[in-house]
Every structure is written in C-alpha cells, then in structure tokens.
Amino acid sequence: MAHPGFFQRQASARRNTGLLVALFLAAVVIITLLVCLVGYLVTRSEYTGLAFADWLLSRHGLYTAIAVVALIGIGSLIRWADLSGGGERVAKMVGARAIDPATRDTDERRLRNIVEEMSIASGISVPELYVMDHETGINAFVAGYTPGEAVMVVTHGALTQLTRDELQGVVGHEFSHVLNGDMRLNVRLIAILAGILMIGQIGAFLLRASFHRSHVSSHSSRDRRGQAVFGLVGLALLVIGYVGVFFGRLIQSAVSRQREMLADASSVQFTRNPEGIAGALFKIGLKGGYLDTTSHASDMNHMCFGESARMKFAALLASHPPVQERIEAIQPGMFARLRSRLRDSEPGSALRSMGSLQTSETSADTAHGAVSGFSAASPRASTSPLNTRPSADISTTVGTVNKRSEDYAVDLLNRLPSTFRNLLYTRAGAIQLCYALLIYQLPESSQQKRLALVTANALFAPNADLLNKLLPALTSLGEAVRFPALELAMPALRKLDPDERNQLMSCTEVLIRADNRLSLYELAMHTFLRRHLAGDSARPVPVRHRSYRTVTDQLQVLFSLMARAGARQGIDSQGLFTEAMAGFTDGPKEPELLETVSIKHLRDALLVLNTLSPLLKPAILDACGHCVLADGEINTTEYELIRLVADQLDCPMPPLAA
C-alpha cells in the first residue's frame, strides 16, 4: 500500500483552497453589507421612510452592492493576473535580487550549497534563489505554482546572522512547503487578499483627496459640506477596510498555522538536527523577522518562515504560532536550553533588551559552509544513487528525505570538479552540458560527427573548450551524475528566453535523432527538458480526472514503455504490461501492449496523467516500479525513467540511495 503522507498532504492543500474560497466569500458579504450601510446613511434623506433591508433592494442599494463586489473581484483578478508569472513575479514584487549561481559572496555560496544538497536529496529541481538585500530581519519564503519552478527568497539578515545549521533548518522548512503543496495556495492567497483590502485603499484615497482639496482652495459653505461628506465617506470606507484587514489576517491564520508546525517537523526530519531550526526560531524571537522595506509585508505574512508584519491581536490573527510554542513542539525543553546557552554567552543587558547575538560562529561557519554537508558528523557516502533491492512501493519515497539520500547528495556535490560545477551555473555551460550528456559515451570520432550536425550559431553552437571541460567529468563520474547535473543546470537554463529554449530543444533533438534510435535515457532527458522549459511550466495543473477509467489510453502508453524497459533476462514484457494494467482496468476488453512509444506519445500521456487527483498518482508510480523491479534490481537508466515519470506527475522523488 502506498505511503499516504506526501499524496494526502497534496490533496489536503487542494482542499484548503475550498476553505479559502469560503472565507473569502464570507468576507466579501460582510464588507459589502458594511459599505451598503454607509451608502444608506449618506442617502437616508432621500429615502427617509425606508428601512435598511428595503434600501438594499432599492436601485441605490443594488447598485452599491454590485459596485463593491465588482471592485473586490477586479482587485483580486488584477493581482491574480499579475502573479501568473509564479514565484519569480512574487520575488520581484518584494524587491528581491536574484542570486547569481556563480556568486563569489561567501554567504550566498553557503546558501546555494545547502539548497543544492537539499534539492538533490529530495528530488526537486534546484530553485531560483533571491535575497532581499535591505532586510535585516531573519526571514525566508518559497513561492511558485509547481515544485519544479519554485523560487526561494531569503533576507540579508538570514544570510548573515544564521549559522550554517540554522540556515539549513530554515531551508528544510521551506522545502517542506514545496513538497506539501503549500506554495500554490500561498500565491493565490495574495491575490484574494488584494481584493478584500481594495475598499480600504479606496477609502484612504478619498480621505486624502478631501483633505487636499480643502487645503489648496477656498469654497462656499455648500462645497465645504460636500467635501466633509466626501471625507466622511472616505473615513468610513477606510474603517471598513480594516474589517478587510481583519478578515485577511483571519484567513492567513486559518490556512497557515498548522502548516507551519508541519513544516518545522519536516525540517527536523530532513536535516536530522532539531537545534538548527530551533536556533533560527530563537534568533527570530530575539531580533524579529519583520520586512520593513516592502509595502507587501502584510500580503506575504502567511508565506514567510516567521511573522513578516507587525500587528495587533497577534495571538488571534498571527499566521504563525508563537516562537516559543514552535520551539517546544520541535523538542520539549529546547527553548529553555537555548535561553540558558544565551545567558552563558551574552551579558544580562542583551537578554533584557532582546538584543543581537554574537555572530562569530556564523562567520567561522561561513568559510566552512561551501564544502560542508548536511551536518558535520554526516558520513560521506560514495555509493551509487541506486539501491539494488529497493522497496517495491516506489511511491513511499516520494516527498521524503532520508539519511542515505542526504549523504549521497553531499558526496556527489563534493565529488563534482569545481570547474565542472561552476560551468553549470552559466547559460553557455548549461547548454553545452545538454550536448555533452547526449554524446559523452560515444568514441571521440563519433562525438565530433554528432556535434557537426548541430548547425546553430553563437550561444548554441557546440563549444569545444567548454565540452572538453564537461566530457571528462561525465565520463569519470558515471551515469549516476546525469540527472543531478541537469538539475543543477536548470536555474541557468530557465534564464533562456522562449526562443532560446526552443532552439535548445531543436539542437538536442538533432543529436537524439542522429542514430535513428531512441534510448531510454534520451527519452527521459528530452521529456524532462520539455517539461521544465515549456512556456506554461510555471502554471498550476488543475485536477481534471478523478478516476482511472478516463485515462486508460494514457496508462497504456506509459505501462507499455515501462514493461519493455523492465523486460530482460527472459522476463516477458507482455506479462509485465498485463500485471501493471490489472489494477487500473475492469472492462471486458484489456488494453494491448504497444509496439513503440514515441516522445510525443509519452509527453502527451504524462501531461494528462498529471491532471489526476493526487491520491490516484501513487498507484501509477508503484505500477511503474513493479515493471522495472521485475528482476529484483534497478539500474541507472531504469531509475532515471522512474524519476522522469515522478517528475512529470509533480511527485518529487529522491535518489534511491543504497
């Protein structure tokens, strides 16, 4: 039976959208009634005999209600469209700066190293990294619609004031939000709050306008009375706007608090170091995590690691549980130990004033961070990412990070040659990596013939100097490095504009078709690139299918490929296919094993299967695992194929570390 954790959390995240809509509608109704009450009081002289309920049904009441609902809806739709760019748009909205993958800044390199370790260990593409340079508070958030297109934003305070273990705890917390499907809900919540807050913004504008007009010109007493009414209406709408703020905070609190506790627990699971995230939370309690340089701090509150905006009634409306409660939930007694440790190292005035902590440990740790692993005591594994006898239920590994996959990620990054790794951070190097991955196993003479077929210019022409630095490393590191290297290169590849992405895909297709045959790895690589470099790759995938009956044709395509991949050493591909399909069909006519599966057929099938309900996806992964594990073990190519299917279904799969 498939492990329910990841998939049930994904389904729960989707159900939370329903809660969000219900709370939003309640807020709209209450705000509309309050605005209508203001309208009733302003026009009361014209309808002296009408009660409020009767006024609501009059022409003035209906027009007022329609106008309010329209304004709220338009405000939300405008912000929704503005955020259609996903995580990158959110990062730019708060003024964050993209961190250059090849940065020489020690703190930024430490962050990138931690994120890359966590990405490889969890099976998520390396997210784009951003820093808010002018924010001294300690905070961070992730944003995006899909795990493969996520961005991570950290404040300058988090980079410079946290030790490596503490920063790793924060990164683990944010990766949990990626794995649990929280990001999509968080971005949508920003759009919903924008509509609710619009009435208050209009009120503030009217109030400022009335005061401005009263100061710059003189009017008759009648005009002054009109201005006074104008100002009073603005004041009333501004007050009503605070009702919108209250509901916005209430919605943030309703959908955020429990997820923050879950993310804290997941961070401990990922890093195996409860003091890391607990220490980060303790420093937030001392120094704060408020975002002071952006006007969107309140909008972002539910997304951040800690509270990003000051508020009244914090106990009721905070999006995060109190820091002490979060620390004690991580490990009972941890808060007292951290406070005692602070007393041993800080003067009493620092404790009384909640002042800053010493950062000498951070500075010393920073220099170590570029090569350090998940923890100083972590053993370095030198094994393949493949388990010769992995669990038959492949889906149990989805959305998890374990010690073996962490150690594998650390070891792999440490074994990558420095020049090779730095090339992956550049657009030119990432493009040449795609070529190198398709030819590195060929004899040198064949490599040159294949590259001669790529008739591109400038950036996309084969570059002998770069290839000579990439090919030896791929040869020495072996097949296990192929997908991790491609994932490390994804941030650079995402910087290509749409035309450049299409040109890259065309050039790789030339190399793939050169020998008139399609290997499983070529199929996996091409499909992976197409999925993550497509123009709509950052858009959320809606649920369109809640039964296997409507996707039988797509399952036939997928299982035909997997059955042929797993049929070796006398194993019958037809038998594997029949066994894989058995749990998904109940009709009188059984699907037949397809003779061939093209790139297009596989891509189209996986696009449809990704629209299944999350709880239907683990059985598909397990059926794929059944095919490739028919002989009791899994090789690199088979793992890459399984990993590809999981990636296309938005199911992050870590390395199957031995």
Side-chain angles (χ1 to χ4, degrees):
M1 179 177 173
H3 177 64
F6 170 79
F7 298 98
Q8 286 195 351
R9 292 195 300 269
Q10 291 282 308
S12 176
R14 291 181 181 272
R15 285 195 297 270
N16 279 340
T17 302
L19 171 64
L20 197 62
V21 171
L23 291 172
F24 173 69
L25 292 177
V28 170
V29 169
I30 293 176
I31 291 172
T32 301
L33 289 175
L34 289 173
V35 174
C36 285
L37 180 60
V38 173
Y40 169 69
L41 295 175
V42 170
T43 61
R44 192 173 181 181
S45 60
E46 300 178 27
Y47 298 90
T48 306
L50 290 179
F52 177 61
D54 296 325
W55 184 89
L56 280 176
L57 299 177
S58 69
R59 180 165 54 90
H60 282 71
L62 291 175
Y63 284 171
T64 301
I66 291 172
V68 172
V69 173
L71 282 172
I72 294 175
I74 291 172
S76 290
L77 288 175
I78 290 175
R79 180 55 63 86
W80 196 295
D82 183 43
L83 297 177
S84 62
E88 182 181 0
R89 181 66 191 94
V90 177
K92 291 180 178 178
M93 183 179 78
V94 298
R97 168 182 62 83
I99 296 178
D100 184 355
T103 179
R104 296 295 179 184
D105 182 88
T106 307
D107 293 324
E108 293 176 359
R109 288 181 66 85
R110 179 181 63 165
L111 172 67
R112 174 160 293 281
N113 195 66
I114 294 172
V115 170
E116 288 178 348
E117 290 173 2
M118 190 74 75
S119 295
I120 293 173
S122 62
I124 297 177
S125 294
V126 180
E128 292 275 2
L129 298 178
Y130 288 80
V131 61
M132 301 178 72
D133 287 313
H134 304 294
E135 294 290 355
T136 58
I138 300 171
N139 227 321
F141 66 87
V142 288
Y145 288 116
T146 63
E149 310 302 323
V151 306
M152 181 179 295
V153 181
V154 300
T155 61
H156 183 263
L159 279 184
T160 58
Q161 298 179 48
L162 297 181
T163 67
R164 190 181 199 280
D165 284 348
E166 291 165 351
L167 186 59
Q168 184 185 64
V170 173
V171 170
H173 175 101
E174 298 306 325
F175 263 77
S176 173
H177 285 312
V178 177
L179 293 169
N180 294 341
D182 297 334
M183 295 188 306
R184 183 185 310 173
L185 185 67
N186 286 339
V187 174
R188 287 174 171 171
L189 185 52
I190 295 176
I192 285 177
L193 293 177
I196 293 176
L197 299 177
M198 178 160 281
I199 299 299
Q201 293 168 348
I202 292 175
F205 171 78
L206 293 177
L207 193 60
R208 286 195 301 269
S210 66
F211 278 115
H212 177 72
R213 290 181 61 188
S214 65
H215 286 302
V216 299
S217 60
S218 60
H219 299 279
S220 65
S221 60
R222 182 175 180 179
D223 288 338
R224 286 195 294 271
R225 283 196 300 271
Q227 283 182 7
V229 172
F230 196 65
L232 288 173
V233 170
L235 179 62
L237 292 180
L238 183 61
V239 172
I240 293 171
Y242 278 99
V243 175
V245 172
F246 175 84
F247 270 97
R249 290 291 194 186
L250 193 62
I251 291 172
Q252 286 179 327
S253 176
V255 302
S256 179
R257 281 194 173 206
Q258 194 60 37
R259 293 180 303 148
E260 293 303 318
M261 299 293 277
L262 174 62
D264 289 345
S266 297
S267 176
V268 176
Q269 175 191 348
F270 292 168
T271 63
R272 310 186 314 280
N273 181 8
E275 289 202 4
I277 186 171
L281 287 169
F282 191 71
K283 286 185 178 179
I284 284 182
L286 290 176
K287 303 182 180 183
Y290 301 125
L291 305 182
D292 295 324
T293 64
T294 175
S295 61
H296 298 285
S298 179
D299 300 340
M300 307 296 301
N301 200 53
H302 62 287
M303 300 180 68
C304 291
F305 177 69
E307 295 289 339
S308 63
R310 297 171 177 83
M311 72 190 79
K312 297 180 180 179
F313 307 109
L316 175 65
L317 301 179
S319 298
H320 302 69
V323 166
Q324 183 172 349
E325 181 182 331
R326 291 174 69 180
I327 294 175
E328 288 297 299
I330 291 170
Q331 191 174 97
M334 177 69 77
F335 183 81
R337 289 199 300 275
L338 291 172
R339 188 169 179 81
S340 176
R341 189 177 304 166
L342 183 66
R343 286 195 189 97
D344 293 340
S345 59
E346 291 292 319
S349 59
L351 288 174
R352 288 191 296 272
S353 64
M354 303 300 277
S356 61
L357 296 174
Q358 291 179 352
T359 57
S360 57
E361 181 186 357
T362 303
S363 302
D365 186 70
T366 297
H368 168 69
V371 296
S372 177
F374 269 66
S375 65
S378 290
R380 301 297 189 259
S382 58
T383 60
S384 156
L386 309 174
N387 191 336
T388 56
R389 295 190 180 277
S391 169
D393 293 337
I394 295 292
S395 64
T396 60
T397 67
V398 171
T400 65
V401 176
N402 56 59
K403 181 179 184 299
R404 295 184 183 277
S405 62
E406 293 170 2
D407 292 339
Y408 168 73
V410 173
D411 176 67
L412 175 67
L413 290 174
N414 286 340
R415 287 190 294 122
L416 291 180
S418 178
T419 300
F420 177 89
R421 187 172 174 181
N422 289 334
L423 281 176
L424 305 187
Y425 299 149
T426 66
R427 293 200 311 162
I431 291 169
Q432 299 302 315
L433 173 72
C434 294
Y435 300 161
L437 287 170
L438 293 171
I439 66 169
Y440 81 97
Q441 292 179 320
L442 300 174
E444 185 175 352
S445 58
S446 299
Q447 291 177 3
Q448 299 305 319
K449 290 179 181 178
R450 294 284 177 87
L451 292 173
L453 299 175
V454 180
T455 57
N457 51 28
L459 183 64
F460 294 92
N463 186 309
D465 291 337
L466 297 183
L467 287 169
N468 288 336
K469 296 174 182 177
L470 294 169
L471 290 169
L474 291 175
T475 302
S476 63
L477 292 170
E479 294 179 342
V481 78
R482 295 188 300 201
F483 254 89
L486 199 56
E487 289 172 338
L488 291 174
M490 284 310 299
L493 292 177
R494 292 193 196 104
K495 296 184 183 299
L496 300 175
D497 62 39
D499 289 339
E500 290 174 333
R501 294 183 182 192
N502 290 334
Q503 190 167 357
L504 174 63
M505 295 306 303
S506 298
C507 292
T508 55
E509 286 172 6
V510 168
L511 294 175
I512 289 173
R513 293 173 179 168
D515 58 357
N516 295 318
R517 59 182 295 273
L518 181 66
S519 69
L520 289 177
Y521 172 70
E522 290 171 340
L523 177 63
M525 176 181 166
H526 185 278
T527 307
F528 180 87
L529 289 175
R530 179 70 68 179
R531 166 78 167 85
H532 289 284
L533 298 182
D536 60 351
S537 59
R539 296 177 185 173
V541 179
V543 172
R544 301 187 187 279
H545 300 279
R546 301 184 183 276
S547 169
Y548 296 124
R549 289 192 299 271
T550 57
V551 295
T552 301
D553 291 343
Q554 288 74 26
L555 291 173
Q556 180 187 20
V557 171
L558 175 60
F559 293 150
S560 292
L561 174 66
M562 301 307 298
R564 293 192 181 280
R568 63 179 190 270
Q569 296 182 0
I571 298 174
D572 178 31
S573 59
Q574 178 63 54
L576 282 179
F577 173 78
T578 302
E579 291 170 0
M581 290 294 302
F584 302 92
T585 58
D586 54 7
K589 184 179 180 181
E590 293 293 334
E592 297 181 357
L593 176 69
L594 300 177
E595 290 296 327
T596 59
V597 175
S598 67
I599 289 178
K600 184 179 185 306
H601 286 154
L602 178 63
R603 184 171 68 244
D604 292 344
L606 290 174
L607 285 174
V608 173
L609 293 177
N610 195 23
T611 61
L612 281 166
S613 170
L615 294 178
L616 297 180
K617 294 178 180 180
I620 296 176
L621 292 177
D622 290 337
C624 291
H626 172 76
C627 291
V628 300
L629 285 169
D631 60 354
E633 59 183 27
I634 182 170
N635 60 35
T636 301
T637 302
E638 289 171 338
Y639 165 73
E640 289 171 341
L641 200 54
I642 288 282
R643 171 69 189 277
L644 167 70
V645 174
D647 177 75
Q648 303 296 295
L649 298 183
D650 286 332
C651 300
M653 178 178 288
L656 302 180

